[in-house]
Amino acid sequence: MKTIAEKKEIAASFFRAYSNREIDKAVSLASEKGTFRYIPLGANGKGKIKGEEGTTWFGIASALIAAFPDLSNKVKNITVDNEGNAIVQVFIGGTQENEILGIPSKGKYYNVEHLFLLNINDDGFIEKITCYWDNWDWFQQIGYRPN
């Protein structure tokens, strides 16, 4: 059984790998059946963590890096509760150079606060990722106006 400190380090390692564009390393910290929910991106925002298709966390993270080559994520705080849930406050930002999700590039920079909830099991693997952010703030910062 992992301690709270160990689970906090697993969450920190996940974001370090993501920040270093080591997506394979980040997903290696997840269980094979691990799931994620990005709210509000994607159809219902639900999918698996692993796998290369665009509905997985791996696929979305890879697409974000491709669209925002200078993508950064700056972790501001990590708290772990007794249930193994890591609550991570992170600012994700970058300059859009390529289209993403049908959104054309206007070359604008964004920096939006995200709240990630990572459930880490007793074996030390991420079972579930849930991410929340203000999508309208993101759209405004990149100069996108949906119909």
Side-chain angles (χ1 to χ4, degrees):
M1 185 157 167
K2 298 292 183 187
T3 66
I4 287 176
E6 289 170 321
K7 290 182 177 186
K8 185 174 182 178
E9 179 53 34
I10 291 164
S13 294
F14 176 85
F15 284 98
R16 264 195 309 275
Y18 185 17
S19 183
N20 293 331
R21 291 159 175 61
E22 299 172 325
I23 303 302
D24 288 325
K25 187 174 185 177
V27 299
S28 74
L29 298 170
S31 74
E32 288 300 321
K33 295 182 180 181
T35 61
F36 85 99
R37 183 161 188 192
Y38 260 20
I39 301 171
L41 279 182
N44 297 321
K46 295 179 183 179
K48 296 287 184 188
I49 297 172
K50 298 184 178 191
E52 295 189 13
E53 61 274 3
T55 57
T56 65
W57 180 85
F58 179 97
I60 290 175
S62 297
L64 281 167
I65 289 169
F68 300 88
D70 63 343
L71 189 74
S72 66
N73 60 74
K74 293 182 175 60
V75 173
K76 295 298 179 187
N77 188 43
I78 300 175
T79 304
V80 178
D81 66 18
N82 290 328
E83 303 297 315
N85 297 300
I87 301 102
V88 185
Q89 176 192 17
V90 58
F91 284 82
I92 298 178
T95 306
Q96 186 178 6
E97 289 188 16
N98 301 301
E99 180 180 306
I100 183 168
L101 303 172
I103 301 171
S105 172
K106 293 187 177 181
K108 296 199 174 206
Y109 178 82
Y110 84 101
N111 188 33
V112 175
E113 181 178 16
H114 290 64
L115 180 68
F116 280 81
L117 305 175
L118 281 65
N119 180 265
I120 302 167
N121 68 26
D122 289 337
D123 294 324
F125 289 102
I126 299 168
E127 284 294 336
K128 182 165 50 168
I129 298 172
T130 306
C131 175
Y132 301 91
W133 78 94
D134 183 341
N135 209 41
W136 288 107
D137 187 19
W138 184 58
F139 284 168
Q140 183 178 18
Q141 289 185 37
I142 63 172
Y144 176 66
R145 294 190 181 153
N147 297 334

